[in-house]
Amino acid sequence: MTATETARPAAASTAKRTLAPDLGRGLMLLAIALAHAHLALYVADYRPAPADQAAVLLRELLVDDRARPMFFFLFGYGLVQLTSRLAARGADPRSVKSLLRRRGWWLLLFGFAHAAVIGVDIVSVYGFALLCFAGLLARSDRTLLRITAWTTAALAAFFFLMSWSEATSNALMGFDLAAGATDLGEMLSWRYTGWAFVLIAFGWQVLPAMLLGVWAARRRILEEPHLHLPALRRTAVGGIGIAVLGGLPWALVSSRLIEIDPLPAAALGSLHAVTGLAGGIGVIAAIGLAANRIGPDRGPLATAVAALGQRSLTFYMFQSVVFLLVFSPFTTGLGARTGFTGAALAAVATWLLSLALAEAMRRRGSRGPAEVLLRRLTYR
């Protein structure tokens, strides 16, 4: 029996789990549904109605480039929790590193399969980050914060170029070309081209939020929010405020409520992305405050959202399957007949369905099938 097998941790029971990360993951699934649903649209000669412009404005202001940092922060936070549990059960650093690498390869494979459904995939990015950056878990806080600063600057430059490209190509409200493909080979070609681009272009962008999550986990901020209430309040108010103020100009441009030249538009897109990092961390802080207020006596809503968060991998993939069934030209073809408002409504409905299913699974004592499979593959 290997050291990794000896140190295999039992899955934490609901009573022993920290509420804040599960609440965060459950709410993030709503954000990611809103961020992804419009990618299933393929309306020809689309001209946005005022309601669709409002939907884009709100999505850019509150979701796009704000949801990803939340995921990446909790990803880093969860890595510290996982490695701490393994170390407490006697795993040596070499076996922990091997386990993380194996988990990374399986996440990459999960994401590759998922990309056939939606093209844009976060699970693969998680796997890429584990394979490339897991060694940073052993580095000092000072090193982590230095890398965070440098990669945040790189993120600003990257989104300047991306926003310039969108502004000059008039693609600010464009759709995913693969969504409307009726030829399976063409669709998969588009999807996997997009998957490869996301993996290469966004794989390193996990670092700012992920390393801040590692830094916070070392201080047990979400496990013990009552010890960090002033810092959590400042982070929540400041982070969300910065995100709203910094994101509003680009949201107005992206929704075509105002028209400006490509160069200033690119600068606004860069500002939108960087302030989104502050917003994502601010929302996590707000969730920590909410978890502290809820305490051990969870109500039905908090219990259901936490149950969804505990099965986030399963329902992340589930929502992509729902979008495929609802919008695809192979099924209803609704993606050719609805706009951004309809996509947002479908995203909310899918999240509510996920919430109900996750609560039903919790009551039956069933774990998410994707989580169970990943665990079995990781620990062999």
Side-chain angles (χ1 to χ4, degrees):
M1 182 176 287
T2 66
T4 300
E5 289 168 337
T6 303
R8 175 177 178 169
S13 67
T14 302
K16 295 179 180 179
R17 292 181 68 102
T18 303
L19 177 60
D22 287 335
L23 278 180
R25 293 184 185 100
L27 293 171
M28 283 187 306
L29 285 174
L30 173 59
I32 208 66
L34 290 166
H36 282 178
H38 71 97
L39 298 177
L41 305 182
Y42 44 95
V43 182
D45 299 324
Y46 179 70
R47 289 176 173 80
D52 284 343
Q53 289 180 292
V56 173
L57 177 71
L58 292 174
R59 191 189 74 230
E60 292 286 352
L61 193 61
L62 303 175
V63 176
D64 284 3
D65 297 330
R66 278 101 182 107
R68 279 196 307 270
M70 295 165 61
F71 268 97
F72 297 154
F73 180 95
L74 289 177
F75 175 64
Y77 203 102
L79 286 179
V80 174
Q81 291 180 310
L82 173 61
T83 54
S84 297
R85 289 198 301 269
L86 289 169
R89 288 167 172 80
D92 59 86
R94 184 177 179 179
S95 65
V96 171
K97 185 177 180 180
S98 175
L99 182 143
L100 292 178
R101 186 180 297 113
R102 188 161 61 250
R103 185 181 181 90
W105 281 114
W106 282 116
L107 284 171
L108 199 62
L109 185 60
F110 273 46
F112 182 81
H114 178 245
V117 179
I118 196 168
V120 179
D121 177 72
I122 292 177
V123 175
S124 298
V125 176
Y126 282 176
F128 178 88
L130 269 179
L131 293 171
C132 297
F133 308 128
L136 294 175
L137 292 172
R139 305 301 292 270
S140 67
D141 288 346
R142 183 176 181 181
T143 299
L144 298 186
L145 295 177
R146 185 184 298 118
I147 296 173
T148 298
W150 281 108
T151 50
T152 300
L155 183 147
F158 174 84
F159 275 95
F160 178 88
L161 297 175
M162 288 286 292
S163 303
W164 173 277
S165 174
E166 289 185 11
T168 55
S169 66
N170 199 31
L172 292 175
M173 298 180 74
F175 302 111
D176 179 9
L177 294 177
T182 55
D183 179 80
L184 182 60
E186 180 186 358
M187 183 192 73
L188 292 177
S189 175
W190 276 104
R191 292 208 185 283
Y192 280 111
T193 299
W195 174 81
F197 172 78
V198 168
L199 191 64
I200 295 170
F202 288 85
W204 59 272
Q205 292 183 30
V206 306
L207 284 172
M210 170 187 160
L211 297 182
L212 289 174
V214 171
W215 180 90
R218 290 175 177 177
R219 288 154 180 78
R220 296 178 57 82
I221 289 177
L222 295 181
E223 288 95 337
E224 301 169 341
H226 59 284
L227 300 179
H228 307 277
L229 292 179
L232 287 172
R233 292 190 188 102
R234 289 193 299 269
T235 302
V237 173
I240 295 173
I242 289 171
V244 170
L245 293 175
L248 180 59
W250 173 254
L252 292 170
V253 172
S254 186
S255 59
R256 293 182 179 173
L257 290 171
I258 62 173
E259 299 283 346
I260 61 175
D261 293 333
L263 183 60
L268 295 180
S270 179
L271 179 65
H272 179 271
V274 173
T275 56
L277 175 62
I281 304 304
V283 171
I284 293 296
I287 291 171
L289 291 170
N292 180 71
R293 180 176 291 274
I294 292 169
D297 299 324
R298 306 178 184 182
L301 179 59
T303 299
V305 174
L308 181 59
Q310 292 162 20
R311 298 159 180 84
S312 57
L313 179 60
T314 293
F315 284 101
Y316 170 68
M317 295 182 171
F318 169 78
Q319 66 182 216
S320 299
V321 173
V322 171
F323 295 156
L324 184 69
L325 295 175
V326 170
F327 294 114
S328 171
F330 297 104
T331 54
T332 67
L334 187 61
R337 303 192 303 274
T338 190
F340 292 111
T341 304
L345 292 174
V348 174
T350 302
W351 183 79
L352 291 173
L353 175 61
S354 300
L355 192 68
L357 292 173
E359 174 61 11
M361 294 172 70
R362 181 195 68 83
R363 293 182 179 183
R364 292 198 310 268
S366 302
R367 300 186 184 277
E371 284 78 8
V372 171
L373 179 59
L374 178 61
R375 181 177 177 79
R376 288 177 177 173
L377 293 170
T378 298
Y379 292 100
R380 296 178 180 172

